[in-house]
Amino acid sequence: MEAEKSDVSRAEEFKVQANEAFKVRKYAQAIDLYTQAIEIDSQNAVYWANRSFAHLKLEEYGSAIQDASTAIEVDPKYSKGYYRRGAAYLAMGKFKEALKDFQQVKRICPNDPDATKKLKECEKAVMKIKFEEAIAAPQSEKRSVAESIDFHTIDVEPQYSGARIEGDTITMEFVKKMMEDFKNQKCLHKRYAFQIVLQTREMLQALPSLVDVTVPEGNHFTVCGDVHGQFYDLLNIFELNGLPSDDNPYLFNGDFVDRGSFSLEVILTLFAFKCMSPSAMYLARGNHESKSMNKIYGFEGEVRSKLNETFVELFAEVFCCLPLAHVINQKVFIVHGGLFSVDGVKLSDIRAIDRFCEPPEEGLMCELLWSDPQPSLGRGPSKRGVGLSFGGDVTKRFLQENNLDLVVRSHEVKDEGYEIEHDGKLITVFSAPNYCDQMGNKGAFIRFEAPELKPNIVTFSAVPHPDVKPMAYANNFLRMFQ
């Protein structure tokens, strides 16, 4: 009996330490400590629900759902189990599943005003989706919104004092003026915004799904990870490493938008550099360059607020044109998420992907955008609930089979802005410091010098930005969980 008592108090001690780590936003540490509590006492629903909450904070929604489901199994009347699982389903855009869980919370706590409020928001979201599905045109009848826009016919009012494009050519002078305007929270005229996005679409459409990049001897090439609408940190990257040009080319490796509330400024800046000089700016698709993510995490609301509905459709169309991966000098493979659920995938298979669509929920394209590395060998389920986790042996085989040296990917927040894994064969790079104004992480970018292509990693800290919170334009009910 004494031994059991001491076990219970040890487990509680781990929980208290985990709660402390959670409070100071050390979510990975909190998960380890909750895990130790669970190993001692797996029949305590609180430990599972708390660990679920920490997974939620790290965007590991698959793991959050698993833990919350276990909390519910251990104690079917524990409302926080349903609450956490509902929040994770919401974050994945699975509104109908979320609705069931919030209905259950309401049954258990009929007088809880917070539960009532969240249930109402969730019901509204499900109704909205049903309505949108009902009025949506069938795929076969969908017309390209880009083809219906002629930006030349849009007048620029005489009182407009912002950046202007003369004729059809986007110059460095224009891009600098536009960035300065954005920095001062001024908008770009929609005529020029249309021009930038339409010209970028034309360029991206012509590219293969896997783009080969050649960096001549003596030259360098910079790879950045997720920027997530953190425009002022993007300006800082250019401050530290120079503006994009033919002699100073960049690849931004997906997740340009969402979360941060200056996503429009980020995407227009990157697109404008692409138009100015296609070989100065390479762009890859991330899992957030998709309709379902933009609907939830703020980009759609931001575009609607700063521009209009036509742009919402136009960006969705252009995101489907973004390439999925890049290879530098036939040596370094760069992709947003990671590798595959099967061995034997060749670069030619990636080139052959028909990418002009919203990302599917399985298959090569989904895995390129969503997968994550894991420390153990082999493959495992994804912490995110989409894609998979892959080990060092998977990385090594993929590199050998395709005669490559290194995988560079993004997609995950890292404390130092980067992490080197899989015996040095895989590097994660993440370029949104103090992600969502709360993670306290550094950002990083990688400079490759040809011919050796040895990765030189530069880290940097967040810079101040105007007082607009992350997720300011996100779905109302999702903000409740932030």
Side-chain angles (χ1 to χ4, degrees):
M1 193 69 194
E2 280 308 306
E4 277 177 29
K5 261 191 190 164
S6 73
D7 277 356
V8 168
S9 61
R10 263 178 60 234
E12 276 300 298
E13 250 168 64
F14 281 125
K15 183 192 89 170
V16 170
Q17 288 172 24
N19 290 352
E20 289 305 312
F22 188 97
K23 268 184 211 155
V24 294
R25 297 176 176 149
K26 294 191 168 165
Y27 302 120
Q29 195 184 329
I31 288 168
D32 290 343
L33 290 160
Y34 289 131
T35 303
Q36 291 180 66
I38 287 166
E39 281 164 359
I40 297 167
D41 180 5
S42 63
Q43 291 308 296
N44 189 321
V46 176
Y47 303 162
W48 291 100
N50 284 12
R51 192 171 76 174
S52 172
F53 197 15
H55 281 303
L56 259 173
K57 288 290 188 183
L58 289 178
E59 301 178 19
E60 296 169 352
Y61 303 127
S63 300
I65 288 166
Q66 272 179 330
D67 278 358
S69 299
T70 307
I72 291 163
E73 277 166 37
V74 170
D75 181 358
K77 290 195 162 54
Y78 183 53
S79 64
K80 273 196 178 151
Y82 299 99
Y83 194 93
R84 299 286 175 243
R85 190 170 69 182
Y89 278 135
L90 269 186
M92 292 178 76
K94 297 191 169 179
F95 301 109
K96 290 166 193 168
E97 290 88 337
L99 184 59
K100 284 182 198 155
D101 277 334
F102 289 123
Q103 285 166 339
Q104 194 57 33
V105 172
K106 185 82 172 93
R107 274 185 213 114
I108 297 167
C109 319
N111 302 318
D112 180 342
D114 192 46
T116 308
K117 192 174 167 192
K118 290 201 167 61
L119 178 60
K120 274 197 179 131
E121 284 293 339
C122 205
E123 283 169 343
K124 264 194 335 207
V126 171
M127 290 297 291
K128 189 166 179 264
I129 286 161
K130 281 185 179 161
F131 176 71
E132 283 169 359
E133 282 171 0
I135 61 167
Q139 208 53 43
S140 57
E141 288 171 27
K142 285 226 164 103
R143 283 201 143 88
S144 158
V145 68
E147 313 213 322
S148 67
I149 301 161
D150 180 3
F151 65 84
H152 297 97
T153 63
I154 300 170
D155 289 330
V156 179
E157 302 75 14
Q159 64 268 33
Y160 172 73
S161 62
R164 291 170 181 265
I165 303 168
E166 302 302 334
D168 284 344
T169 311
I170 292 171
T171 62
M172 178 64 96
E173 195 185 354
F174 162 78
V175 183
K176 281 181 177 172
K177 166 80 171 121
M178 179 184 76
M179 289 194 298
E180 194 54 37
D181 287 350
F182 285 161
K183 194 176 165 182
N184 297 318
Q185 291 185 272
K186 290 181 184 162
C187 292
L188 180 69
H189 196 282
K190 65 176 186 291
R191 174 196 164 110
Y192 305 125
F194 273 131
Q195 185 169 347
I196 290 167
V197 181
L198 290 167
Q199 286 186 12
T200 304
R201 173 180 174 265
E202 216 167 292
M203 281 176 195
L204 296 176
Q205 269 183 323
L207 294 171
S209 291
L210 181 141
V211 176
D212 287 291
V213 180
T214 304
V215 183
E217 193 163 330
N219 290 32
H220 65 267
F221 187 84
T222 302
V223 179
C224 296
D226 306 32
V227 181
H228 275 301
Q230 297 186 196
F231 177 69
Y232 294 82
D233 293 305
L234 174 67
L235 292 183
N236 188 36
I237 291 171
F238 294 151
E239 197 72 35
L240 296 169
N241 194 56
L243 289 172
S245 67
D246 291 345
D247 297 330
N248 189 33
Y250 282 81
L251 162 59
F252 280 83
N253 197 25
D255 282 14
F256 323 120
V257 301
D258 280 339
R259 297 274 183 187
S261 296
F262 303 96
S263 292
L264 182 65
E265 289 79 357
V266 166
I267 198 71
L268 287 176
T269 300
L270 297 178
F271 279 7
F273 275 119
K274 182 74 186 163
C275 295
M276 181 196 86
S277 166
S279 57
M281 178 63 70
Y282 293 84
L283 300 164
R285 193 172 193 174
N287 60 305
H288 273 267
E289 276 70 53
S290 72
K291 266 190 203 171
S292 59
M293 291 284 119
N294 298 162
K295 209 178 263 309
I296 303 173
Y297 290 102
F299 184 58
E300 190 179 291
E302 185 183 337
V303 171
R304 205 172 270 127
S305 164
K306 293 177 182 175
L307 289 166
N308 59 31
E309 188 65 42
T310 308
F311 274 98
V312 171
E313 287 178 56
L314 181 59
F315 277 115
E317 217 170 89
V318 177
F319 287 165
C320 291
C321 302
L322 286 160
L324 304 175
H326 292 75
V327 174
I328 309 177
N329 290 4
Q330 300 172 335
K331 292 290 174 209
V332 181
F333 178 73
I334 306 170
V335 66
H336 179 72
L339 299 180
F340 310 102
S341 53
V342 291
D343 286 333
V345 176
K346 294 284 197 280
L347 296 182
S348 54
D349 299 320
I350 300 169
R351 267 189 205 99
I353 296 171
D354 179 6
R355 70 181 188 278
F356 297 96
C357 60
E358 287 301 315
E361 291 199 7
E362 55 186 22
L364 297 187
M365 180 168 165
C366 168
E367 289 161 6
L368 283 164
L369 298 178
W370 280 97
S371 296
D372 294 295
Q374 63 180 28
S376 53
L377 297 178
R379 294 178 171 90
S382 164
K383 300 174 289 194
R384 299 171 190 270
V386 189
L388 69 140
S389 298
F390 59 96
D393 52 336
V394 176
T395 300
K396 191 176 167 187
R397 272 197 304 275
F398 174 78
L399 291 172
Q400 279 172 346
E401 286 169 356
N402 288 288
N403 196 20
L404 296 160
D405 294 342
L406 179 69
V407 173
V408 173
R409 43 88 62 180
S410 303
H411 194 40
E412 275 182 292
V413 187
K414 297 293 177 187
D415 284 346
E416 290 304 310
Y418 74 97
E419 188 174 0
I420 301 171
E421 295 169 88
H422 296 178
D423 297 327
K425 294 290 180 194
L426 181 140
I427 304 177
T428 298
V429 61
F430 190 84
S431 304
N434 194 24
Y435 177 49
C436 285
D437 283 2
Q438 64 168 3
M439 297 302 280
N441 59 295
K442 286 189 175 132
F445 54 81
I446 309 176
R447 266 175 80 115
F448 290 96
E449 310 276 338
E452 291 87 6
L453 295 187
K454 194 174 135 313
N456 174 21
I457 300 169
V458 178
T459 66
F460 55 95
S461 297
V463 295
H465 63 75
D467 188 19
V468 184
K469 300 279 177 283
M471 304 281 280
Y473 301 92
N475 237 322
N476 206 2
F477 57 86
L478 201 73
R479 282 209 301 279
M480 297 172 160
F481 295 91
Q482 290 307 300

